């Protein structure tokens, strides 16, 4: 599966820039959950479980990149994976 750009150094919609070199991914790599639209359960919304995990997360050429591994046992995650393919 293709890799995704999780972050880059462009100016975001709030007018800020995050320098990739300053991102600490050590904790994220311990539990690399892939969330749908940044949603976690318990935000006063219907439960939305993680739809997979991120593999091979790394900094590369000013970008934070990773490879998705979708939870194919979850119907919604499998639909998203199919759309990605």
């Amino acid at each position: 599966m293709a890799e995704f750009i999780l972050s880059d150094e462009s100016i975001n919609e709030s007018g800020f820039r995050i320098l990739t070199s300053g991102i600490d991914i050590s904790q994220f790599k311990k539990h690399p959950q892939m969330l749908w639209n940044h949603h976690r359960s318990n935000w006063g919304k219907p439960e939305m479980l993680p739809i997979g995990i991120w593999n091979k997360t790394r900094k590369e050429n000013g970008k934070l990149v990773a490879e998705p591994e979708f939870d194919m046992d979850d119907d919604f995650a499998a639909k998203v994976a199919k759309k990605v393919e």
Side-chain angles (χ1 to χ4, degrees):
M1 180 159 298
E3 63 186 24
F4 279 55
I5 298 171
L6 306 181
S7 179
D8 65 19
E9 296 183 349
S10 61
I11 296 174
N12 65 24
E13 61 188 33
S14 299
F16 295 100
R17 176 190 326 254
I18 297 173
L19 299 178
T20 303
S21 62
I23 298 173
D24 179 359
I25 58 175
S26 60
Q27 291 298 313
F28 178 75
K29 283 184 157 187
K30 292 178 183 178
H31 197 65
Q33 291 187 354
M34 182 190 331
L35 304 175
W36 171 253
N37 254 355
H38 298 271
H39 288 293
R40 302 176 201 177
S41 59
N42 302 325
W43 282 6
K45 298 178 179 167
E47 184 176 333
M48 177 60 73
L49 299 173
I51 61 171
I53 61 172
W54 293 105
N55 294 313
K56 299 181 183 177
T57 306
R58 63 202 179 280
K59 299 175 190 181
E60 196 171 87
N61 301 319
K63 297 174 184 168
L64 182 63
V65 297
E67 295 178 7
E69 179 181 330
F70 290 94
D71 179 359
M72 300 307 285
D73 292 330
D74 177 272
D75 290 337
F76 180 73
K79 286 180 186 179
V80 174
K82 185 176 177 183
K83 297 282 187 181
V84 169
E85 284 295 323

